[in-house]
Amino acid sequence: MPELPEVETTRRGLAPLLVDQRIRTAVVRNRAMRLPVSRGLPQLLAGATIRSLTRRGKYLLLDCGTGTLILHLGMSGRLWVVDRATPAGKHDHFDLVLENGTVVRLRDPRRFGLVLWHKGDPLRHKLLAAIGPEPFSPQFDGAWLYRITRHRSAAIKLVIMDSHIVAGVGNIYANEALFRSGINPLAQARRIGATRCALLAEQIRATLDDAIVAGGSSLRDYVGSDGLAGNFQSQFMVYDRAEKPCQRCGTKIREIRQGQRSTFYCPRCQK
């Protein structure tokens, strides 16, 4: 958390404010993120014009012409627009200041996020190069999922959360997509047939799309670029609903641990 819908919601909120705007400077208050922030970043960004703001998986990419600013929100980060007179808080580690006075601020209490500068093709950066197809891309469909899972004995939930298989499907949305597909999260990936793989790929896209429309899920720290919370949590069918009745059949939702993450599912609806 934040996952793909939260990152995409942030991107859509910021893009109209950032694209074609000139950067005045950057303010780095704490270099000690997951990877250290470059000491020279303010000088690298000063005077650059933002050409585009795109997303790859859970990474935001600001094309600044001479290089790309790569941002990752980690587990607790958020990017939002603040008034330039707003005092920085304890966990406000980075500001991007535009010539028009707009300030985009990164708050990250746990400091697992990233603020990186990369010259050249950002998709060749070591953190992005091995990411699998985007869930909304033509490459990701039932045929792809079926083919890539044929020799994988791992649980299907762990497989669809693997960014090498498909980009950006985090824990919340893996839980929800598997429920929508009627697939038990413990099922071996190679045991899922072609028809069910097609359904799962479809429901991954549908779940992510519904979450983006709802502005993402706000469970702890996440808010969008406008400072408003997302609302997809009101649509959860299984996530964070342990011991509550399934909204389809009334059976109690179970919670287990998979890959050090919580898994929620209905033992009756998901086979």
Side-chain angles (χ1 to χ4, degrees), residues 110-145:
R110 301 183 70 176
R111 290 188 286 116
F112 287 147
L114 294 171
V115 180
L116 301 174
W117 179 256
H118 181 74
K119 290 187 176 181
D121 182 358
L123 300 183
R124 296 176 67 87
H125 189 283
K126 63 181 180 180
L127 293 174
L128 281 72
I131 295 177
E134 289 289 326
F136 297 112
S137 71
Q139 185 182 355
F140 180 72
D141 58 13
W144 162 266
L145 190 57

Side-chain angles (χ1 to χ4, degrees), residues 144-192:
W144 162 266
L145 190 57
Y146 180 75
R147 184 169 63 254
I148 205 88
T149 55
R150 287 314 83 200
H151 302 290
R152 296 178 183 270
S153 59
I156 185 62
K157 179 175 177 254
L158 300 181
V159 169
I160 63 173
M161 288 180 62
D162 183 344
S163 64
H164 300 93
I165 304 299
V166 56
V169 181
N171 192 44
I172 292 173
Y173 304 105
N175 278 280
E176 293 297 310
L178 286 165
F179 176 80
R180 292 183 179 201
S181 305
I183 296 174
N184 190 303
L186 292 165
Q188 286 189 345
R190 65 186 181 185
R191 302 293 185 188
I192 309 298

Side-chain angles (χ1 to χ4, degrees), residues 31 38 59 63 69 73 96-97 111 136 157-158 174 198 203 205-206 220 230 261 264:
R31 296 183 57 245
S38 170
Y59 293 87
D63 180 357
L69 186 65
L73 300 181
L96 186 67
V97 184
R111 290 188 286 116
F136 297 112
K157 179 175 177 254
L158 300 181
Q203 291 304 324
R205 287 192 295 270
R220 297 179 184 87
R261 306 296 297 275
F264 301 90

Side-chain angles (χ1 to χ4, degrees), residues 31-168:
R31 296 183 57 245
M33 305 293 283
R34 178 153 53 101
L35 293 174
V37 180
S38 170
R39 292 185 184 277
L41 187 60
Q43 290 73 35
L44 290 167
L45 289 172
T49 297
I50 300 172
R51 296 179 175 180
S52 66
L53 173 56
T54 57
R55 179 190 54 76
R56 181 69 174 109
K58 300 178 186 180
Y59 293 87
L60 290 170
L61 311 176
L62 279 77
D63 180 357
C64 299
T66 56
T68 301
L69 186 65
I70 302 175
L71 300 169
H72 190 273
L73 300 181
M75 297 180 67
S76 61
R78 68 189 196 189
L79 275 172
W80 82 113
V81 176
V82 299
D83 185 276
R84 54 185 169 183
T86 303
K90 176 181 178 181
H91 303 297
D92 293 338
H93 305 309
F94 173 79
D95 283 357
L96 186 67
V97 184
L98 305 185
E99 290 283 6
N100 65 10
T102 298
V103 177
V104 178
R105 179 163 290 171
L106 173 65
R107 173 173 293 176
D108 186 1
R110 301 183 70 176
R111 290 188 286 116
F112 287 147
L114 294 171
V115 180
L116 301 174
W117 179 256
H118 181 74
K119 290 187 176 181
D121 182 358
L123 300 183
R124 296 176 67 87
H125 189 283
K126 63 181 180 180
L127 293 174
L128 281 72
I131 295 177
E134 289 289 326
F136 297 112
S137 71
Q139 185 182 355
F140 180 72
D141 58 13
W144 162 266
L145 190 57
Y146 180 75
R147 184 169 63 254
I148 205 88
T149 55
R150 287 314 83 200
H151 302 290
R152 296 178 183 270
S153 59
I156 185 62
K157 179 175 177 254
L158 300 181
V159 169
I160 63 173
M161 288 180 62
D162 183 344
S163 64
H164 300 93
I165 304 299
V166 56

